[in-house]
Each structure stands twice: as C-alpha cells, then as structure tokens.
Amino acid sequence: MTSARSPTYSLQEIIERFGGEIAGDASVRVRCVGTLENAGPETIAFLANERYLRQLQTTRAAAVIVGRSAREGATAPRIVCDNPYVYFARVSALLNPPRSARPGIDPAAAAHPQARIDRSAEIGAYAVIACGAEVGPRTIVGPGTSLGENVRIGADCVLHAGVTVCSGCSVGDRVVVHPGVVIGADGFGIAFDEERWVKVPQIGRVRIGNDVEIGANTTIDRGAIDDTVIEEGVKLDNQIQIAHNVRIGAHTAIAACTGIAGSVHIGRFCRIGGGVGIAGHVTIADHVEISGQTAITKSIDSPGVYSGVYPFEANRDWRRNAAQLRRLSELAKRVAALEARIAELTRDRPPHD
Amino acid sequence: MTSARSPTYSLQEIIERFGGEIAGDASVRVRCVGTLENAGPETIAFLANERYLRQLQTTRAAAVIVGRSAREGATAPRIVCDNPYVYFARVSALLNPPRSARPGIDPAAAAHPQARIDRSAEIGAYAVIACGAEVGPRTIVGPGTSLGENVRIGADCVLHAGVTVCSGCSVGDRVVVHPGVVIGADGFGIAFDEERWVKVPQIGRVRIGNDVEIGANTTIDRGAIDDTVIEEGVKLDNQIQIAHNVRIGAHTAIAACTGIAGSVHIGRFCRIGGGVGIAGHVTIADHVEISGQTAITKSIDSPGVYSGVYPFEANRDWRRNAAQLRRLSELAKRVAALEARIAELTRDRPPHD
Amino acid sequence: MTSARSPTYSLQEIIERFGGEIAGDASVRVRCVGTLENAGPETIAFLANERYLRQLQTTRAAAVIVGRSAREGATAPRIVCDNPYVYFARVSALLNPPRSARPGIDPAAAAHPQARIDRSAEIGAYAVIACGAEVGPRTIVGPGTSLGENVRIGADCVLHAGVTVCSGCSVGDRVVVHPGVVIGADGFGIAFDEERWVKVPQIGRVRIGNDVEIGANTTIDRGAIDDTVIEEGVKLDNQIQIAHNVRIGAHTAIAACTGIAGSVHIGRFCRIGGGVGIAGHVTIADHVEISGQTAITKSIDSPGVYSGVYPFEANRDWRRNAAQLRRLSELAKRVAALEARIAELTRDRPPHD
C-alpha cells in the first residue's frame, strides 16, 4: 500500500520522535512496516509476543522494534523500548499517515442549505446532509453517508462510506466511523397491550465523545427518553449492537459481535471480548475484563476477569457430557445422599489414619 | 428534542383520550415526557417498575403516570391506570408525533418510469425505485434506500436511510424499517458436489405483514422456493438474521443479535431474548419465551420459559468448573459405582433410622 | 417469480444435460421448480430428505427428482440420480438463469475518470467507483455500491446494492456479494499506552478468490500488515464477521452470525455452523465441522465434528442445574473423597462378586 515515493526515516530520526534506544546501526533507513515473517528491504518490523522470538533470527526486515528483554535476540538494527506494540503503532502512523480531507462538497452530494459544513470538510458523492446538521473542520464524510437533521459531527472525523447518523445525534472530534454503521436508530421500546405491541417513541439521542472508533456495521440506538452515551476514547469493533440508554465509560474497548442490551452501564477501561452478550440494566465496574462469548446476566461490582464459555469437545464427548448436564442437580443430590450414608455407616468407625 | 413551541395538554385532556383517573390537580399542563430522574418542568414521567418507587418522591416532573398500587406513592399530580408503561407509550406518541411524509420524489432519486409511487409518498435523495416497484400512500422512503423490481411497499410505512428491499418482496402497511436493513437477499442455499459447492437459486420472496418493525442492520433472506414470512405485528430488534423460509407468527418480539436458521417456524406471541440462536427446521409453539443467549437446538411444543446460558464466574472459578464439565459423564459413572458399592456393603445392614 | 413465458424442458432434455435416468414419461415438460408440498402443474420438485418421503405420494408436481433409494416411492414421472439436491440445484439454475449485466454506467453513478470499467459491465445508480478501481467483464455493480481506490473486481461478479469495498482490496471472478457487505474496513488494531488506546494503522488488504459468495451485512476486515485472505469457493452466509489477517481455506462454508477473530486460519472444506465464535490466532484443520453456537477457544488439529452448546431446558430446570455448575469442581472433589473413604472402609472386604 505504501507507494515507492513515500519518505524514509532513519532509526535515529525515529527515536528522536518517539524515544527508545538503538542497538546497531542508527543510520539505517526504513520506508514501510512489515511483519517479521514477510518483511522486505527498507522495512521495520516488531516483536510484541515472545512466541515469535525465533522469527527475529530469520527476518529480512531492515530494522526491528523490540522490548528490553528481547534486546539481544536479534542481529538486525533495532529500537529497544518499553512497549514495542505501542511503539510500532506510532512508527506505522508516521509511515502511513491517514489521508487528509479534500475540502469541498461533491457536486453529487445533497447538502441542505441550512446545514453548516466547515469549508475544510470533505463531503463525498451521494452523501446527504440534512437541515441543521453540522460538519466540523477537516472532517471527511464518505460517499453515500447520511446525516439526519441537527446532527453534529466534530473536527477531524472520518465517516466512511454508507454510514447513517440519525437526527439529533452528536459525534465528537477525531472520531472514526466505518462503513455501514448506524447511529441513532430507534431503540427497541415496545409495550404489550391487549394482544399487540405499542411503540414507545424513542426521543433520546446518541452522544459520542472524542477519539472514539466504531467498526463496520455496528449499531448504536438512540435513547428512549434520555441519551445513549459513548464516552471519549471508546473503541468498538464491527457488528456490535448497543441498545438504548447504554452508557460506555471512557477508554473501554469492545470486540466484534458483542450485544449490549438496554440501560447497561459499562465502566471505564473495560475490555470486553467478542461475541459477549450483556443483559439489560446490568452495571459493570471499571477495569473489568470479560472473555469472548460470555453471557453477562447480572452486574459486576469488582475489577477482574470474568468468563462463562461452554468448553467445546469432539461431538461424541460433548453429547455424553451435555446429557449429564441436564441431570447435574440430581447428581449433586445423589452425592449428598452418599455422603450421608457413608457418615452413617462409619459413625462408630473413625478413619484409618 | 421537543421544540419550545410544541403544544401542551392538561391531564384532564389526556385522560379524556386515553382513560385512567387523575389524583391531584387535573389542570396541570405537560409538554414533553421524561424520566423520573431527569424530568424538568412541563414534563410527564411514569413509574412502571416498583424498584424506582423512591424516585417518585424526588422527581421534578410536573405529573406522573402510575399503576394503581403506586397511587399514593407520589405527591405530584398523577394519572392512575392499569398499565403505566402502555399508557406512557400513548402519551409520548401524542407529545412526539412521528413526522408526516413530505409528498414528492427528490430530484436526486432514481425512480423507474414503470414504478408506481403514490403521490402522497416521499422518496428521498439517492433512493432507487426499480421497474414495477410500488410505494403506497404516505410512505416515506429514506435517502439511499433501494427497492428492487416489483417490490411492493404498503401505506404509511417508514423505510429509513440505506435500506435494501430486493426484487419481488412485499411489505405491508404501517411497517417501520430502520437503516441498513436488507430484505430479500439470497438465502444460504448450497449443495456440495464433487469437491465444490453449487448454488441453489433462491427464487422465493419475503412477505412482511402490517405493523411490523425491523431494527437496524437486520437481514431477512428470501425463500429458497416458497416464501419467508413475517406475520403482522412482529417486532424485530437490530442485527437479527432470519434465514430462508422462516415463518414468524404474529405479534412475536425478538431482541437484537438473534439468529434464526432456515425453515424455522416460530409461533405467535413469542418473546425471544437477545443473542439467541435457533437451529434449522425447528418449530416453536405460540407463547414461548426464550432467555437471551440460549441456543435452541430442537423444537419446543409447549408454552413456557426456556433457557440455556452458561453461568459466568470469575475466570479462575470458571476454569476450574469448566475443566470438570469435560469429565461430567465420567463423574456420573463414578457416582453410580459408588452407589452400587454402598448398596453392596450395606446389603445386610439396614440404614440406622 | 418465473414468468409465464419462460421456456419448458422435457425430462429427456434435462437428463441429456445433467445425467441421471428417467422413470415414467420422459416427454413430460417442466417450466419451474417447486417444493413437493406446494408444487403446481409444470413444476419439478425434489426429495433430498427421507423424512419428506410421504409427500412424494401427494405432490401435484409434474415430475420429481429422487435418489436411487426413493426410486419406487413416487408415481409421478421422475429423474433418478445420485444426489437429488445437487441435481435440483442444476435444474433450478437452468429454469431460473441469473440475469445478465446490462452494459453501461448509469448516468447517476460516479465513476472516476481513472477507473477502468469493462464495457460489458453494469454500474448502477449512485454507485461510486474511485480512482484506479477496476471492474471486470460482465460484472454487475449494484445501486449505491462503493468501490474504493485501486479496488479490483473480476469478471462475472454480482455486487448487489449498498456494498462497500475499501481501497486496495481485490475480488476474483464469479463472486457474489449481497447487500450491506463491507470488505476492507480497518481491523480492530489498538495498543494500550498510558491510559489510552493508540490506533495501529491497518495497511493490509482483503483478497477474495474466485467463486466466493458473501451474505448480506457480512464484514471482512483488511489485514493489519499482511492481507486477509478468502480462498476460492468459500461460501459465507449473512452477518459474519471476519477480522484482520484471517485466512479461510478453499470451499469452506460458514453459516450466519459467526464471528472469527484476528489471525485465525481455517482449513479447506470446513463446515462451520451459525453463531460460532472463534478466538484469535486459532488454527483449524481441513475438513473440520463445527456445530452452531460453539465457542472455539483453541486450535483444532484433526478433522471431525466439534461441539460445545449449553443444552437448553425449561427455565426452572436450567436454574437448578446451572446453579450446580458453579459447584462442579467441588462436587468432583466430594466424589473423590467418597471413593477414598469407601476404599478405606472395604480395605479388607473384597467386592461380593
């Protein structure tokens, strides 16, 4: 992806920006990033996981980024730092800068005369910007993206193609929204009355803080009455569902396919695996980690790691064990009965030793 | 969201429309709805769940809607009724009426000359209405929404932005379809032949009844041969997957992220939680309730509540217990052996009492 | 769906194309396909599952396709073959041919002057074809579909409405992509640094082989550094999530709502059920079958069927058993203690027989 004319940086120039120290030739220049396994010339790679240590010996990378413990594991010129993955992220952003907005509104976009679009913003073809909507400086609105009435998008955002933001919702600065995301559709508010469902109007909004990223085809529903809130620095993967009136605390990261039911409050700095389900009205403390595929059915008050995954097996073994799972309560009773019977039998006989 | 000029209603006017009785000042006027916790002046709130009873004392709402048992729990003027949540839904709809269609076809929409679009319908920018498609009176078709050939959309529907309805599918009256929904894509019909998959043409359609609501990014596949059918009054949350030839009975509600495999038949008035999976060809009776995250692997013949969720725990406890789950069948055998051994040991010794 | 003027074929003409033998009148002509249950005149149906055998007696189909064992089960004229479902797929494709591309670029499409679009390709209204993108012969690009810079789409593909293919990704020949699919959004690459997440640029691409089909609203992320790869003949159902750097082997089929985390490698000819979750960095051998709803948390080295689904029950029974699940490790210890105690008690007493 990096074209031949992208600039190069010496290791010396890199540590002047990002810190760390150099082992080996500080004048080596790099142009692009790569994996240890597939790196070519002019490439800088990294080692973040000790299990790839052996690849340090064989990599053709021009330079590598390593932690202090792997300092002597490589012969290539290397940058030694505390957190090689974070360091790599910064170097890669230097070598692969995001493209800037190309200021202007595509002639094939439909911007309402009462929309307020910053001059430095880029509005793509077939985008729709409704009455009262606001787009901040240097923000990119991709092709076919639709912003409803009175939507507010901050500065330096990227809304990719085919995003929908419904009326009244707001998005902070430096937010990245991937294709197919829907922000602010109605929450699932229905009341059952005499054999049919009555819709409860969903009149809250969605408010999204700064530095949030939202993965492809994720949906975030507007609040029923009060708002749904995604705090700053939250990172959401693809195909996540966030129901009405959820609040997600700052800097929490959630992996793909997780579903969060209505009125759930999640703390700050949580890490939630993929395919997790969280039941309605649950509250989760700060710094909670949840394993992928776990169903959270009640609140979690303390930091820590929580799990609840059925262990998979060869189908034959699973059938055998799962059948017994349906009799587990009975089995526990049988064990208690055995214990009572043994106690009775041995009432007069103390254990041998 | 409610602008300052929206109309107000007195409690007296409200009960004349919707029934119930008033405790306190019947002339109090309300303009908008709110939660007990965040209500301001001119706001009407409701209490549907006894656990928020304490908020009745502290709310700043001008009036509240309560059930008969909470009649004396508040000092604010209140409407007393049988089902406060349903009552609130009706009041909220009165105070927050949905916007009407703005009749006409946006100049930047592509409507085929042989499409039949009612004059009172609204067609948004960049919508595509293919040959033979039909849009009923007062229906709103959002920006970027695409209706395939011979699609039929009834009256008073709202199809939000970025919806796709594929050729031949039909949608009843008063149906709401949220952004990103795909109706009528091909079902997953493939046959395995000599080391490769052969596609089975999907020639059925999707038929959707009146008063259905479909959440954002939900997908409903067309039938393989016969049709996929969603009966009247069904309510579907976001990111639900409905495979080919499914039939969902009237007034069933399904929460987000549920996946329903091919040829499943679900009864009427069912309530299905979020993240449920239902295996192919399963039949589910009327009035069945399924807990969130449950995997339904066989048919359910009787009404009732069904569940199957792995209980989550602190990771350390889960590891310990899950390891034993793989030995559960063996454990059951060991208990049976113990029982036999004890019976043998005590053949001549009756229990003490 | 089949119009009255579609052509008819005699059974004789059909077996000349696809093999098999005829029992009964070979001159019978059929025009369309149907189910045994709902077939009308001029219809050919099939029996692939013995449990519908009884319907063979009552069907009004003009002809049926059956396996050798069901040869004598019907009175209607029939084609007898080895694999009736595959045979049916071929006959249905003959009677329901996919529509051809209508060559040309819709005037309401935005094709960059430096895009290379084959003359025989069809580009729908409001489609966006960016600089350097390439669309092959006879390929159909649906309305509102967006192809990023330097995307390459092969020959004879169908990209339905509202598909997004991000920059640099490539798609082979004869690939079908259903509405709402997102190919090449950023993977979920973030590194945690001093209380906030740092984005890791996602600079790999997605490469999709020939004869792949991708279901509605499925997402396939671009690689972090190297590419995400979907090999030839892979069939993906709706709402599947494929994370960065996944590789899926040729002719593997995956049912809806499955989530595959980063760097997973899946073998060839696998069959993966709906709602499956596969944890990051897992490797799965060729010819592995995984039951729906199973969480795969570690690599699978051998072909076979693997499962891990919590068996559902009436809620009351589930509550009782699930409570014991949390005490399973303790229960196993109690059984071991009982065994030790019994052994001790019977040290001098051999079993009766």
Side-chain angles (χ1 to χ4, degrees):
Chain A
M1 297 296 297
T2 310
S3 86
R5 281 156 299 163
S6 62
T8 63
Y9 295 85
S10 71
L11 298 192
Q12 184 61 37
E13 285 164 354
I14 289 172
I15 71 161
E16 281 163 12
R17 283 172 185 256
F18 301 128
E21 51 169 317
I22 295 170
D25 181 358
S27 70
V28 163
R29 299 191 77 80
V30 296
R31 192 187 298 277
C32 58
V33 300
T35 55
L36 288 170
E37 197 179 358
N38 296 328
E42 296 195 309
T43 301
I44 185 164
F46 72 105
L47 178 84
N49 188 327
E50 300 282 320
R51 72 169 155 164
Y52 299 113
L53 197 55
R54 217 176 346 158
Q55 294 181 355
L56 267 190
Q57 314 297 332
T58 56
T59 186
R60 287 166 303 148
V64 291
I65 301 165
V66 298
R68 304 206 180 277
S69 64
R71 184 194 174 100
E72 306 309 329
T75 50
R78 54 213 176 274
I79 292 173
V80 184
C81 61
D82 289 331
N83 188 333
Y85 191 43
V86 167
Y87 201 102
F88 171 77
R90 298 199 192 288
V91 172
S92 182
L94 175 68
L95 299 176
N96 301 285
R99 80 166 180 82
S100 303
R102 298 163 191 143
I105 300 172
D106 192 288
H112 193 279
Q114 275 154 54
R116 279 162 295 165
I117 300 170
D118 192 275
R119 287 178 174 205
S120 60
E122 167 184 339
I123 310 296
Y126 313 129
V128 175
I129 320 285
C131 177
E134 207 178 315
V135 177
R138 297 169 303 281
T139 281
I140 299 174
V141 175
T145 282
S146 170
L147 308 183
E149 294 181 8
N150 302 311
V151 161
R152 188 196 162 283
I153 309 291
D156 299 300
C157 292
V158 180
L159 278 62
H160 287 274
V163 169
T164 303
V165 187
C166 300
S167 62
C169 296
S170 69
V171 170
D173 299 333
R174 297 174 303 280
V175 171
V176 177
V177 185
H178 289 285
V181 167
V182 179
I183 296 170
D186 280 356
F188 198 54
I190 51 177
F192 196 69
D193 180 41
E194 294 175 15
E195 306 282 283
R196 55 198 302 117
W197 296 100
V198 178
K199 182 174 174 76
V200 181
Q202 303 290 297
I203 60 172
R205 298 162 303 162
V206 178
R207 284 186 283 129
I208 294 177
N210 296 331
D211 299 301
V212 168
E213 183 157 354
I214 305 174
N217 283 357
T218 280
T219 52
I220 305 175
D221 282 349
R222 64 195 311 118
I225 302 174
D226 297 333
D227 296 341
T228 303
V229 178
I230 312 294
E231 294 182 4
E232 56 165 347
V234 166
K235 305 296 178 184
L236 302 175
D237 198 353
N238 296 359
Q239 296 198 41
I240 290 170
Q241 149 67 0
I242 297 179
H244 49 191
N245 300 104
V246 167
R247 174 178 281 268
I248 301 184
H251 308 297
T252 281
I254 305 181
C257 302
T258 284
I260 302 175
S263 301
V264 166
H265 285 207
I266 298 178
R268 295 158 57 91
F269 299 107
C270 292
R271 298 180 186 205
I272 299 181
V276 166
I278 306 183
H281 294 270
V282 156
T283 296
I284 294 178
D286 295 349
H287 295 286
V288 164
E289 192 173 330
I290 300 175
S291 304
Q293 311 291 326
T294 296
I296 301 297
T297 49
K298 55 185 183 184
S299 293
I300 298 179
D301 301 327
S302 318
V305 182
Y306 297 84
S307 309
V309 183
Y310 198 108
F312 81 91
E313 302 174 274
N315 180 268
R316 203 171 70 167
D317 298 331
W318 167 76
R319 278 178 187 277
R320 229 171 354 222
N321 288 320
Q324 292 300 333
L325 191 47
R326 284 212 176 89
R327 296 178 208 133
L328 186 54
S329 168
E330 185 209 326
L331 187 70
K333 278 184 201 149
R334 286 162 59 195
V335 170
L338 280 169
E339 286 169 334
R341 192 80 184 99
I342 290 273
E344 191 183 82
L345 278 176
T346 61
R347 189 174 290 175
D348 315 307
R349 298 171 53 177
H352 274 283
D353 40 351
Chain B
M1 295 298 298
T2 311
S3 85
R5 282 157 299 160
S6 62
T8 63
Y9 295 84
S10 71
L11 298 193
Q12 184 61 38
E13 286 163 355
I14 289 172
I15 70 161
E16 280 163 14
R17 284 174 184 255
F18 302 128
E21 51 170 317
I22 295 170
D25 181 358
S27 70
V28 163
R29 299 191 78 79
V30 295
R31 190 188 297 279
C32 58
V33 299
T35 54
L36 288 171
E37 197 178 358
N38 296 327
E42 296 194 309
T43 301
I44 184 165
F46 73 106
L47 178 84
N49 189 326
E50 300 282 318
R51 71 169 156 163
Y52 298 113
L53 196 56
R54 217 175 348 157
Q55 294 181 357
L56 267 189
Q57 314 297 332
T58 55
T59 186
R60 288 167 302 147
V64 291
I65 301 164
V66 298
R68 307 208 177 274
S69 64
R71 183 193 175 101
E72 306 308 329
T75 51
R78 54 215 177 273
I79 292 173
V80 184
C81 61
D82 288 331
N83 188 333
Y85 191 43
V86 167
Y87 200 103
F88 172 77
R90 299 201 192 286
V91 172
S92 182
L94 175 68
L95 299 176
N96 302 284
R99 78 165 181 82
S100 302
R102 299 163 190 141
I105 300 173
D106 192 288
H112 193 278
Q114 276 153 53
R116 279 163 295 167
I117 300 171
D118 192 275
R119 283 176 179 208
S120 60
E122 168 183 338
I123 309 295
Y126 313 129
V128 176
I129 319 285
C131 177
E134 207 177 317
V135 178
R138 298 169 303 280
T139 282
I140 299 174
V141 174
T145 282
S146 169
L147 308 184
E149 294 180 7
N150 302 310
V151 162
R152 190 199 161 281
I153 310 291
D156 299 299
C157 293
V158 180
L159 278 63
H160 287 275
V163 169
T164 303
V165 187
C166 300
S167 62
C169 296
S170 69
V171 170
D173 298 333
R174 298 174 302 280
V175 171
V176 177
V177 185
H178 289 285
V181 167
V182 178
I183 296 170
D186 280 355
F188 198 53
I190 52 177
F192 196 69
D193 180 42
E194 295 175 15
E195 305 282 282
R196 54 199 302 121
W197 295 100
V198 178
K199 182 175 175 74
V200 180
Q202 303 289 297
I203 59 171
R205 297 162 303 160
V206 178
R207 284 185 284 129
I208 293 177
N210 296 332
D211 299 300
V212 169
E213 183 156 355
I214 305 174
N217 283 357
T218 281
T219 52
I220 305 175
D221 282 349
R222 64 193 313 115
I225 301 174
D226 298 332
D227 295 342
T228 303
V229 178
I230 312 294
E231 295 181 5
E232 55 166 346
V234 167
K235 305 297 178 184
L236 302 175
D237 198 353
N238 296 359
Q239 295 197 42
I240 290 170
Q241 150 68 1
I242 297 179
H244 50 192
N245 300 103
V246 168
R247 173 178 282 267
I248 301 184
H251 308 295
T252 282
I254 305 182
C257 302
T258 285
I260 302 175
S263 301
V264 166
H265 285 206
I266 298 179
R268 295 156 60 90
F269 298 107
C270 292
R271 298 179 186 205
I272 299 181
V276 166
I278 305 182
H281 294 268
V282 156
T283 296
I284 294 178
D286 295 348
H287 295 285
V288 164
E289 191 173 329
I290 300 175
S291 304
Q293 310 292 322
T294 296
I296 301 297
T297 48
K298 55 185 181 185
S299 293
I300 298 178
D301 301 326
S302 318
V305 182
Y306 297 84
S307 309
V309 182
Y310 198 107
F312 81 90
E313 302 174 274
N315 181 267
R316 202 173 69 169
D317 298 330
W318 167 76
R319 278 178 186 277
R320 227 166 2 216
N321 288 320
Q324 293 301 331
L325 191 48
R326 285 212 176 89
R327 295 178 210 133
L328 186 54
S329 168
E330 185 208 326
L331 187 70
K333 280 186 199 145
R334 285 162 61 196
V335 170
L338 280 170
E339 287 169 334
R341 193 77 183 98
I342 291 271
E344 190 182 82
L345 278 177
T346 61
R347 190 174 288 175
D348 315 307
R349 298 170 54 179
H352 275 282
D353 40 352
Chain C
M1 296 293 298
T2 311
S3 85
R5 282 157 298 164
S6 62
T8 63
Y9 296 83
S10 70
L11 299 192
Q12 184 61 38
E13 286 163 354
I14 290 173
I15 71 161
E16 281 164 14
R17 282 173 187 255
F18 302 129
E21 51 170 316
I22 295 171
D25 181 357
S27 70
V28 163
R29 300 190 76 80
V30 295
R31 191 188 297 279
C32 59
V33 299
T35 54
L36 288 171
E37 197 178 357
N38 296 327
E42 296 195 308
T43 300
I44 184 164
F46 72 106
L47 178 84
N49 189 327
E50 299 282 317
R51 71 168 155 166
Y52 299 113
L53 196 55
R54 217 176 344 159
Q55 295 182 355
L56 267 190
Q57 313 298 332
T58 55
T59 186
R60 287 167 302 149
V64 292
I65 301 165
V66 298
R68 305 208 178 277
S69 65
R71 184 193 173 100
E72 305 309 329
T75 51
R78 53 213 177 275
I79 292 173
V80 183
C81 61
D82 289 330
N83 189 333
Y85 191 42
V86 167
Y87 201 102
F88 172 76
R90 297 201 192 286
V91 172
S92 182
L94 175 68
L95 299 176
N96 302 284
R99 79 165 180 83
S100 302
R102 298 164 191 142
I105 300 173
D106 192 288
H112 193 279
Q114 276 154 52
R116 279 162 294 165
I117 300 170
D118 192 275
R119 285 176 175 206
S120 60
E122 168 183 338
I123 309 295
Y126 313 129
V128 176
I129 319 285
C131 177
E134 208 177 315
V135 177
R138 297 169 303 280
T139 281
I140 299 174
V141 175
T145 282
S146 169
L147 308 184
E149 294 181 7
N150 302 311
V151 162
R152 189 199 162 280
I153 310 291
D156 300 298
C157 292
V158 180
L159 278 64
H160 287 273
V163 170
T164 303
V165 187
C166 300
S167 61
C169 296
S170 69
V171 170
D173 298 334
R174 297 173 302 280
V175 171
V176 177
V177 185
H178 289 284
V181 167
V182 178
I183 296 170
D186 280 356
F188 198 53
I190 52 178
F192 196 69
D193 180 43
E194 296 175 13
E195 305 281 285
R196 54 198 303 118
W197 295 101
V198 179
K199 183 176 173 73
V200 181
Q202 303 289 296
I203 60 172
R205 298 162 303 162
V206 178
R207 285 185 282 129
I208 293 176
N210 296 332
D211 300 299
V212 169
E213 183 157 356
I214 304 175
N217 283 357
T218 280
T219 51
I220 306 175
D221 282 350
R222 64 194 311 118
I225 301 174
D226 297 333
D227 295 342
T228 303
V229 178
I230 312 294
E231 294 182 3
E232 56 165 347
V234 166
K235 305 297 177 183
L236 302 175
D237 198 354
N238 296 358
Q239 296 199 40
I240 290 170
Q241 149 68 1
I242 297 179
H244 50 192
N245 300 104
V246 167
R247 173 178 281 267
I248 300 183
H251 308 296
T252 282
I254 305 181
C257 302
T258 284
I260 302 175
S263 301
V264 167
H265 285 205
I266 298 178
R268 295 157 59 90
F269 298 106
C270 293
R271 297 177 186 207
I272 299 181
V276 166
I278 306 183
H281 294 271
V282 155
T283 296
I284 294 177
D286 294 349
H287 295 284
V288 164
E289 192 173 330
I290 300 175
S291 305
Q293 311 290 326
T294 296
I296 301 298
T297 48
K298 55 185 181 184
S299 293
I300 298 178
D301 301 326
S302 317
V305 182
Y306 297 84
S307 309
V309 182
Y310 197 106
F312 81 91
E313 302 174 273
N315 180 269
R316 200 172 72 168
D317 298 331
W318 167 76
R319 277 177 187 278
R320 227 167 1 219
N321 288 320
Q324 292 301 332
L325 190 48
R326 284 212 176 90
R327 296 177 209 133
L328 186 55
S329 168
E330 185 209 327
L331 187 70
K333 279 185 198 147
R334 286 162 59 196
V335 170
L338 279 170
E339 287 169 334
R341 193 78 183 100
I342 291 273
E344 192 182 83
L345 277 177
T346 61
R347 190 173 289 175
D348 314 309
R349 298 172 53 179
H352 275 280
D353 39 354

